[in-house]
Amino acid sequence: MESRKKLCAALLLMQNNYLIAAHMLKKQSRRKRELGSSKYALQRELADIEFKMSREIQDEDSLLYGRVLRMTPEQFHFILEMVRPVIQEKKTPLRSSITPEERLKVTLFYLSTGRMPFRQTKPEYMPTITKILRETIPALYNVLNGEYLPFPTSADEWKQIAADFYDIWGFPNCIGAIDGKHCKTRPMASTGDTNMMLMVIVDAKYRFVYVNVSTDTRIGDADVWLHSDLKYSLDDNSIHVPPPTALPHSNRISPYTLVSGESFPLTEYNMKPYIHKNLSESQQHFNYMLSRSRRVVENAFGMLANRFRVIFSPIKQVPMTFSKIVLTCFCLHNFLREESIRTNINLDIIPNVELQRRASCIVEENFIEQMLDHRTVKSTGHGPQAREGLREYFSKLHFNSDD
């Protein structure tokens, strides 16, 4: 009797194990079918995205491919080869990978237009597109930052910038035009940021050589400047700005300086215009020469605003900080400027009066000019003396007068 009970218990245990194993096999088979259907659904989804984005490019501008992705096909493939090792996904038997070309096209379209790759974005596409943007935008910044957004750290680099300013704009010993802008944006779900403060330095060829992104928009240009790492670096000259040197065609010694607007302090390494009334002819001429050189930073902002609309209308569903997006746009801008200089084809520059009109319109629409805070724009050090020296230099050079 006892042995019979043991036998029945063993049979029941075997039956139970069999049922469990059959259930697990059935569940695994169902999961494989689900994964397989998801794979084909994803393939159809990506094909639909690529098709609609291609149609969108044609709809936006059938004559110029670069109007949507903001670059030529050759430039696109050049960047693609740089970023491909970083954004290449591994293929698996159960998952269809997104090609680097598709990922880069989606990202560039988003940066240039500020919206998703096609007008009617389905909810089921959002996780895929968001994942692409979260991975590709930082990858672009990482591969471009070192080469296309480097900060000058040697005397020779600063001297080259100064030489370009003198050759192109006629302002000697100028190492850059500095300006700050409040950028109006839409709130982003992950950060809640509504505005950003951009502090930049631009060289004579519209390239950004310094970018500082601040989230504290309650302060003005001068406050950002006074607490920036750039000011401290200029104070102790840890960035190796060359010592004062003779101005061209003159024995007058003058320091290397930035050029700025009225909201910045007048220092030995930063020139600003005369702002009091009843200016003399030589002071007015100095203001003209300074304004002529400082205009490059306004034009550069205009080009950036015209090329990368995402800076002013980031989509809420993208969980990424604004600073990462805007820094990537600065890198891409500098890349395109380098390409224009290298090929001597300035496709990204709108000629003369039209540039001024468009840049002014775009900047006024998307940037907020900071009101002057006269408590923070006081002259310091040898700034007034250096400015007077440049005024006399321009006066003698153009009017043969000391007035």
Side-chain angles (χ1 to χ4, degrees):
M1 181 65 67
E2 187 69 21
S3 61
R4 186 174 182 180
K5 288 182 178 181
K6 291 182 177 179
L7 180 60
C8 289
L11 290 174
L12 288 173
L13 180 62
M14 291 175 62
Q15 184 180 12
N16 187 48
N17 290 339
Y18 172 79
L19 292 174
I20 292 174
H23 176 73
M24 293 179 64
L25 288 173
K26 184 178 180 180
K27 185 176 180 180
Q28 185 176 8
S29 176
R30 184 168 62 250
R31 179 173 176 79
K32 287 183 178 180
R33 288 197 303 271
E34 291 175 353
L35 288 173
S37 62
S38 298
K39 171 185 175 182
Y40 295 117
L42 179 60
Q43 288 176 337
R44 291 195 301 271
E45 189 173 307
L46 293 176
D48 195 18
I49 290 175
E50 178 72 13
F51 171 74
K52 289 187 176 183
M53 190 173 68
S54 299
R55 289 290 301 273
E56 185 83 359
I57 290 175
Q58 296 175 3
D59 293 342
E60 291 282 344
D61 193 332
S62 59
L63 299 178
L64 188 60
Y65 174 84
R67 283 291 180 89
V68 177
L69 298 184
R70 296 299 190 261
M71 59 183 63
T72 65
E74 293 77 15
Q75 293 168 346
F76 173 84
H77 287 97
F78 180 81
I79 289 184
L80 176 63
E81 293 308 313
M82 293 181 66
V83 78
R84 183 191 296 274
V86 185
I87 64 175
Q88 178 74 61
E89 284 190 330
K90 295 181 179 179
K91 294 183 179 180
T92 66
L94 301 178
R95 182 172 63 87
S96 178
S97 63
I98 306 172
T99 66
E101 290 86 349
E102 292 169 335
R103 296 166 68 89
L104 187 56
K105 282 183 179 180
V106 167
T107 302
L108 291 176
F109 191 97
Y110 169 72
L111 294 177
S112 64
T113 64
R115 56 186 175 85
M116 289 305 183
F118 40 86
R119 294 184 178 91
Q120 302 298 327
T121 303
K122 296 182 180 179
E124 58 267 27
Y125 291 170
M126 287 303 302
T128 302
I129 298 176
T130 300
K131 182 175 182 292
I132 291 173
L133 297 176
R134 292 182 64 184
E135 295 175 353
T136 310
I137 290 177
L140 275 173
Y141 173 73
N142 291 334
V143 299
L144 295 175
N145 177 48
E147 184 173 355
Y148 295 102
L149 196 61
F151 182 71
T153 56
S154 69
D156 290 339
E157 291 176 302
W158 291 116
K159 286 181 179 179
Q160 183 59 54
I161 294 176
D164 291 338
F165 261 101
Y166 182 71
D167 293 339
I168 299 173
W169 305 106
F171 202 101
N173 290 12
C174 177
I175 57 174
I178 186 170
D179 197 10
K181 297 288 185 181
H182 278 183
C183 182
K184 295 188 296 185
T185 68
R186 296 179 188 174
M188 301 185 70
S190 62
T191 64
D193 299 331
T194 57
N195 287 287
M196 291 285 169
M197 181 67 181
L198 306 178
M199 179 75 67
V200 304
I201 295 177
V202 176
D203 68 7
K205 298 179 179 180
Y206 306 105
R207 296 172 297 191
F208 293 92
V209 298
Y210 171 81
V211 179
N212 179 276
V213 183
S214 173
T215 58
D216 189 354
T217 58
R218 296 170 298 178
I219 61 177
D221 294 354
D223 291 303
V224 174
W225 164 259
L226 290 174
H227 298 91
S228 67
D229 55 349
L230 177 62
K231 178 184 179 300
Y232 297 133
S233 298
L234 287 168
D235 286 338
D236 60 18
N237 199 24
S238 59
I239 55 177
H240 307 294
V241 175
T245 187
L247 298 174
H249 312 292
S250 171
N251 294 325
R252 185 182 297 275
I253 303 299
S254 181
Y256 284 87
T257 68
L258 299 166
V259 292
S260 70
E262 300 173 3
S263 57
F264 287 85
L266 175 63
T267 66
E268 184 178 2
Y269 47 73
N270 183 68
M271 294 292 103
K272 58 181 289 186
Y274 292 96
I275 59 176
H276 57 267
K277 298 179 180 179
N278 302 321
L279 298 178
S280 67
E281 185 180 18
S282 63
Q283 289 174 333
Q284 292 178 24
H285 184 65
F286 171 86
N287 284 359
Y288 164 76
M289 294 299 295
L290 186 141
S291 176
R292 186 169 179 265
S293 299
R294 199 184 69 84
R295 193 185 306 161
V296 296
V297 70
E298 296 290 345
N299 291 350
F301 268 125
M303 294 175 192
L304 183 75
N306 187 56
R307 180 180 289 126
F308 299 110
R309 297 300 179 113
V310 70
I311 297 179
F312 317 108
S313 57
I315 297 174
K316 296 180 181 180
Q317 290 89 335
V318 179
M320 184 178 300
T321 61
F322 177 80
S323 59
K324 185 65 69 175
I325 294 175
V326 74
L327 287 173
T328 303
C329 292
F330 279 114
C331 290
L332 288 169
H333 168 90
N334 280 2
F335 163 75
L336 295 174
R337 285 298 305 132
E338 291 285 356
E339 287 295 295
S340 295
I341 295 170
R342 182 181 64 84
T343 59
N344 200 28
I345 302 176
N346 295 329
L347 296 177
D348 57 329
I349 294 184
I350 307 169
N352 301 331
V353 177
E354 183 66 12
L355 170 63
Q356 295 301 318
R357 186 187 68 80
R358 290 195 190 183
S360 175
C361 177
I362 294 170
V363 169
E364 289 178 1
E365 176 185 355
N366 298 293
F367 289 111
I368 308 171
E369 289 288 355
Q370 181 62 25
M371 297 298 293
L372 297 182
D373 184 354
H374 293 286
R375 296 171 301 173
T376 58
V377 296
K378 296 180 180 179
S379 302
T380 60
H382 300 285
Q385 180 181 349
R387 183 170 65 177
E388 280 297 304
L390 284 170
R391 179 194 64 80
E392 294 176 3
Y393 168 77
F394 287 129
S395 181
K396 287 184 176 181
L397 187 65
H398 300 143
F399 303 120
N400 194 25
S401 170
D402 293 331
D403 181 27

